[in-house]
Amino acid sequence: MASTLTLKSGTSWADAWRRCLTAAPEAFREDRVLNLWNGAWQADGRTLPATSPVDGSPVTGPPRLDRDTAHQAVRASLDQHRAWRHLPLTERRARVAATLDALAAHRELLALLLVWEIGKPWRLAQADVDRAVDGVRWYVDGIEPMLAGRAPLDGPVSNIASWNYPMSVLVHAVLVQALAGNAVIAKTPTDGGVACLTLACALAAREGIPVTLVSGSGGELSDALVRAPEIGCVSFVGGRDTGAAVATAVTDLGKRHILEQEGLNTWGIWNHSDWDTLAALVPKLFDYGKQRCTAYPRFVVQRELFDAFLAAYLPAVRTLTVGHPLAVEKRDDPYPRLDFGPVINAAKAKELHDQVAEAVDRGAVPLYRGDLADARFLPGQDTSAYVRPVTLLNPPPSSPLHHAEPFGPVDTIVLVDTEAELLAAMNASNGALVATLSTDDRATYERLAPQIRAFKVGHGTPRSRGDRDELFGGFGASWRGAFVGGELLVRAVTRGPTDERLPGNFPDYQLMP
């Protein structure tokens, strides 16, 4: 198959880059992007080389700032904040609405950048852009009651987010924070998304949104973006190790914070018989190669149902389509419909390969291994960032796959015999963002679901981060600070009554909405 495929017309990285130069010449140069701070695009920072996970070809890397320049950027953002917070809400709404119109007008280019920079299939890249635009419009339309009796924070909101959802998580948060009256700072994720975020921020800055966009290593910039006294709130999305360091810093400083961290999201099977519904869901759970904070990489299955589970699961997982997100039979064909493309980079692919091999060597049973020989690749392309789907039974306790989120297309299955074992296995990571329990008996679900340590628990259906008025958070080590979603996102980045206790997971209290 691969020898017959070609790149879809007009979708090369060079095509995308030329379109960026035309769309936002103030932010892009022939060989680099610029940082945005103090209300201007700055040609500072050392640009690092970068490659696309799609085919290993060169793309533009982030222009990394040093610590001192980052502090200058934060101080300048505070000046913007002090002016912006006094702007009437009607004016802020108009500027954010105009930004959304501009983002919608550049939807295809933003999506194409996501394909090249972080390997998203076209369908999911477009969805990322659409969720950002549509989600913020919901706030624009209904912001007045959310801000009643509330005021902006004393300083800008600092956003440090992972690479997997630049638009629907990072840009969405930035625009809602600005709508609520705050200047905003965004750090470009180290592993990808710099061009997409640069274009989005350029469109926002044109409309007068007080946005700062900087690049750099977490270690170099954390002193400015997390600990600086000018920062009014830290919003973080990422792994537990980095999140723990951020949590320690903001707690010591008494700083407002929203820290979304990873957890092992689990899908339990107990006294269940609707296998057709489960089989239809399995391919969807592999969207974007399970590189999502709400992916389900662990099935906890009642032992006596294991044969029926496999009869539903294995045929479904064999239908997965993998490959180059822009490879087509003829150059003008529609974009291919894939379940996933590459993982974020070749290093992550090697890590997953090594973890799977080590788990099997220590006793895990391989139940399924996909074959990349059937994947959709261009002739001779680099495939080092692609990982075949894998399913393992009983990963050993010594393996990271036993207790941590793999962030790749690797499923693990654990068998249990009692409800107590089911709950223990579903709570293996000390808190998660989402979980699901498939059981025929509603009463059983109602009894067990409250004992599952996840913020959202579905009954036979997957849960997601959500949009608009759907709340979001996490239990245990998967979340620290204020919960978000709906009006809670606005409350998290504004000040209310003096004695207000925000819903969230804090060191001294946990308060559910």
Side-chain angles (χ1 to χ4, degrees):
M1 178 188 295
S3 63
T4 68
L5 299 180
T6 187
L7 192 69
K8 181 173 172 60
S9 178
T11 66
S12 71
W13 173 253
D15 293 326
W17 192 255
R18 282 192 293 269
R19 292 169 65 182
C20 289
L21 290 169
T22 300
E26 69 272 29
F28 292 83
R29 297 293 181 265
E30 289 291 339
D31 60 342
R32 63 173 292 165
V33 298
L34 306 183
N35 288 297
L36 172 61
W37 59 275
N38 197 25
W41 291 96
Q42 313 276 357
D44 49 16
R46 181 172 62 93
T47 299
L48 295 185
T51 58
S52 170
V54 170
D55 62 1
S57 61
V59 295
T60 300
R64 293 162 66 109
L65 294 183
D66 58 32
R67 188 188 309 262
D68 291 341
T69 307
H71 274 287
Q72 293 180 47
V74 169
R75 287 191 289 271
S77 181
L78 178 61
D79 293 338
Q80 290 181 305
H81 179 82
R82 288 169 171 165
W84 178 259
R85 65 180 300 183
H86 297 297
L87 206 66
L89 176 58
T90 53
E91 181 63 22
R92 299 201 304 266
R93 282 183 60 180
R95 295 190 187 187
V96 172
T99 300
L100 297 177
D101 291 341
L103 292 173
H106 290 83
R107 172 183 186 246
E108 290 202 356
L109 177 53
L110 290 163
L112 183 58
L113 293 171
L114 291 178
V115 173
W116 279 110
E117 294 191 285
I118 62 173
K120 282 204 168 182
W122 181 251
R123 169 179 58 91
L124 300 177
Q126 285 187 307
D128 195 10
V129 178
D130 292 343
R131 286 183 63 187
V133 173
D134 296 343
V136 179
R137 284 199 197 280
W138 182 85
Y139 285 93
V140 169
D141 293 340
I143 191 64
E144 286 93 342
M146 299 184 204
L147 286 177
R150 309 193 67 79
L153 300 175
D154 294 332
V157 182
S158 176
N159 293 270
I160 304 168
S162 56
W163 45 265
N164 52 343
Y165 284 89
M167 293 295 299
S168 62
V169 173
L170 183 51
V171 171
H172 177 281
V174 160
L175 292 179
V176 175
Q177 294 159 5
L179 181 64
N182 304 288
V184 289
I185 303 169
K187 177 187 173 297
T188 301
T190 303
D191 288 324
V194 61
C196 177
L197 286 169
T198 300
L199 177 57
C201 288
L203 299 175
R206 284 181 185 176
E207 303 301 337
I209 305 296
V211 58
T212 294
L213 179 66
V214 294
S215 296
S217 72
E220 185 78 7
L221 300 193
S222 63
D223 190 57
L225 300 185
V226 175
R227 298 179 180 85
E230 295 92 343
I231 298 296
C233 176
V234 176
S235 177
F236 169 88
V237 179
R240 289 193 177 185
D241 290 344
T242 304
V246 173
T248 299
V250 295
T251 301
D252 290 346
L253 296 168
K255 199 181 293 290
R256 184 77 63 93
H257 57 283
I258 307 161
L259 310 182
E260 175 188 332
Q261 301 170 135
E262 63 189 17
L264 185 63
N265 306 315
T266 58
W267 193 300
I269 309 289
W270 188 261
N271 292 340
H272 175 73
S273 63
D274 186 3
W275 301 112
D276 289 343
T277 297
L278 180 67
L281 288 170
V282 167
K284 298 176 184 177
L285 300 180
F286 277 87
D287 271 357
Y288 195 33
K290 302 208 172 198
Q291 296 178 103
R292 298 175 290 124
C293 62
T294 54
Y296 287 83
R298 166 68 51 80
F299 287 94
V300 181
V301 182
Q302 187 177 6
R303 190 181 305 272
E304 68 179 48
L305 298 180
F306 186 45
D307 57 340
F309 171 82
L310 284 184
Y313 175 89
L314 290 176
V317 79
R318 291 188 181 107
T319 68
L320 294 172
T321 54
V322 184
H324 190 304
L326 304 172
V328 292
E329 278 76 17
K330 298 179 182 178
R331 287 179 57 81
D332 294 327
D333 281 353
Y335 289 90
R337 188 172 181 86
L338 304 173
D339 293 297
F340 59 93
V343 296
I344 187 58
N345 52 45
K348 179 62 180 180
K350 183 180 185 304
E351 174 189 288
L352 289 169
H353 289 311
D354 291 346
Q355 287 180 353
V356 169
E358 182 181 51
V360 172
D361 185 59
R362 294 181 179 181
V365 179
L367 298 176
Y368 176 74
R369 288 172 169 166
D371 190 347
L372 290 184
D374 299 325
R376 296 174 55 90
F377 293 136
L378 297 179
Q381 78 160 81
D382 185 309
T383 61
S384 58
Y386 290 80
V387 177
R388 61 182 177 177
V390 175
T391 306
L392 300 180
L393 175 66
N394 290 336
S398 59
S399 169
L401 298 176
H402 179 79
H403 54 78
E405 183 180 14
F407 236 62
V410 179
D411 272 349
T412 57
I413 300 172
V414 173
L415 303 182
V416 295
D417 296 299
T418 67
E419 289 184 356
E421 290 178 340
L422 174 81
L423 292 170
M426 293 190 72
N427 294 328
S429 68
N430 183 26
L433 304 176
V434 297
T436 291
L437 179 61
S438 289
T439 180
D440 293 345
D441 181 30
R442 181 74 192 185
T444 299
Y445 171 80
E446 297 289 354
R447 179 167 49 83
L448 296 179
Q451 301 177 68
I452 299 171
R453 296 273 291 163
F455 188 80
K456 296 180 181 181
V457 181
H459 184 194
T461 58
R463 301 303 306 271
S464 69
R465 206 174 195 276
D467 294 298
R468 301 175 177 86
D469 60 349
E470 190 171 355
L471 308 182
F472 192 58
F475 286 157
S478 68
W479 195 281
R480 302 179 191 273
F483 294 148
V484 296
E487 67 172 344
L488 292 190
L489 175 53
V490 175
R491 290 173 65 182
V493 296
T494 54
R495 295 202 176 277
T498 303
D499 58 351
E500 179 180 45
R501 281 164 45 108
L502 292 173
N505 186 23
F506 295 92
D508 53 343
Y509 76 89
Q510 182 184 85
L511 179 62
M512 291 300 294

